[in-house]
Amino acid sequence: MWPLIILSFMECFASSYQQFPRLCATQEALRTKECCPPWEGDGSSCGASSGRGFCQDVVVPNNPDGPQYPFSGLDDREKWPLVFYNRTCQCAGNFMGFNCADCKFGYFGVNCNERRESLRRNVFHLSRAERIRLVSYLNLAKQTVSRDYVVVTGTYQEMGNGSSPMFADVSVYDVFVWMHYYVSRDALLGGPGNVWSNVDFAHWAPAFLPWHRVYLLHWEHEIRKLTGDMTFTIPYWDWRDAQGCDVCTDELMGARSPFDPSFLSAGSVFSSWRVLCSRAEDYNNRGVLCDAREEGPLRRNPGNHNRNVVERLPTSAEVEFTLSLPNYDTGAMDRSANMSFRNTLEGFGDPRTGLGNSSRMGMHAALHVFMNGSMSSVQGSANDPIFLLHHTFVDSIYEEWLRRHRPSPSQYPESNAPIGHNSEYHMVPFLPLHRNREFFISSKDLGYEYSYLLDANQRLAESIRPYLEELQGVWPWLLLAGLCGGIVAVAIVAAVRTAKRRYRGSPWLHAKRWKNLFALPERQPLIWSSDTEETNHPNYQTTM
């Protein structure tokens, strides 16, 4: 039923957010370096005629980056998005989008003036209908080619500085797979094998948490637009103290195949999925970008990982220690950072001591290694739908830290962080443009909340909600069953009374006759009546 409902909305898509917009993936747009598409509502660039936004020059900061990436002018992601575009839509008020067609996070309605707060729930607290909907939406996104976006398959230089565009069609889901690959890929320095690996515009540094927060928000919005279901939210998997992959069932993210533990069960829709952008070593050896072609089935083998790298899944105590760290980031603000909340949550700081460059990975990184498959590759990890449930819980820990410590905006570094991570840097590869500092704020300011961060009464109501929904779904059948039972009981009583009236004079209805018919001789009494025997052999009566 759900797929039919979903498909009925597929003609109602609106423009959405990620790069590269089809309307900006043309020779003209690349040569002029302008990405200011018209808004369909009035046909004007960025909806300028309606006051939604305007086409403006992109302003990038000149604050110095850290020493981890010592080059300049070699990578398309430097000073994002200037290599591709130096003019983009700057939206006004609560409008957002590459052409200002949509609303900022947390706002809804034609004029983006309806404020609503969405709730992200524990995946195990979803009703059966909600679990079916989640899997259906994920699969629909995987099977539907994006109408609004294409992905880049070559560098700007390989395109002849824009004269020969190199883009490919992918599904709505795979746009996000590609985004995670593109932001974390190694820098191509020219020629086969000539890469710089100590660079990542979304990991290993302060922007790790803000970047993934924006990523999840855009993904949520994309699913809402694809399905027409504006109530959809990404659930989270609370993996604290888990003994294994609790979500690895055919009802949720897919069980293990009984024939090969590295693949998924044929009973899961995800067993038919094909991954892309998962062969980082191959791309580096050839000195090329991912070409967005299918690269084989989704892989996962949870628990059969290298125990020297990850001992077990994170514990509640480790999460609490991480939350207790008051400093968002420290030192060089990379994997070596000591007593850094960001570095410890990301998994390179020891979750028991807070010391960086830990010999074992913890927290966020531990989950990726534990999954021992597509999730274990940084660049290809978003191929596995567990990625979404995992990162939503990581984001909830980030949110809990923000509420507990209420950090000053100055805690987020303005300069000297690894490239891509300073506060004013535009996040790669998002269009519209987002700066890192803009998401160093509470989720409530962005229009969403987590169910386990609600107050006690709200949490209780939320925990019993799916059971009430299940009961609501079956109560008509229970009522029908009760009515049928009542009718049968009345019919039996009526039949007995009719029989009594008809055979009232019959000798067969005399009780004494029936008693004698079935009576058996009593060989030994169950309760002794003799005073002597009663004393020596206590029975139920004497015990009472």
Side-chain angles (χ1 to χ4, degrees), residues 122-124 208 235-247 312-320 322 344-347 351 362-368 370-371 375 386-398 452:
N122 188 320
V123 69
F124 293 113
F208 166 68
Y236 61 86
W237 173 29
D238 185 346
W239 34 249
R240 289 174 293 187
D241 304 314
Q243 299 302 305
C245 183
D246 300 341
V247 296
R312 47 165 170 66
L313 292 177
T315 66
S316 297
E318 290 170 340
V319 172
E320 182 55 37
T322 302
T344 306
L345 178 55
E346 191 168 359
M363 300 299 286
H364 152 263
L367 255 291
H368 283 279
F370 178 86
M371 287 300 157
M375 270 276 279
I386 287 179
F387 177 95
L388 295 167
L389 276 61
H390 168 43
H391 270 275
T392 304
F393 188 60
V394 171
D395 183 73
S396 78
I397 298 174
Y398 173 41
Y452 82 96

Side-chain angles (χ1 to χ4, degrees), residues 14-32:
S15 297
S16 190
Y17 306 140
Q18 295 70 42
Q19 80 116 30
F20 284 79
R22 286 186 182 274
L23 298 175
C24 297
T26 64
Q27 186 181 82
E28 180 182 1
L30 292 171
R31 281 183 167 177
T32 61

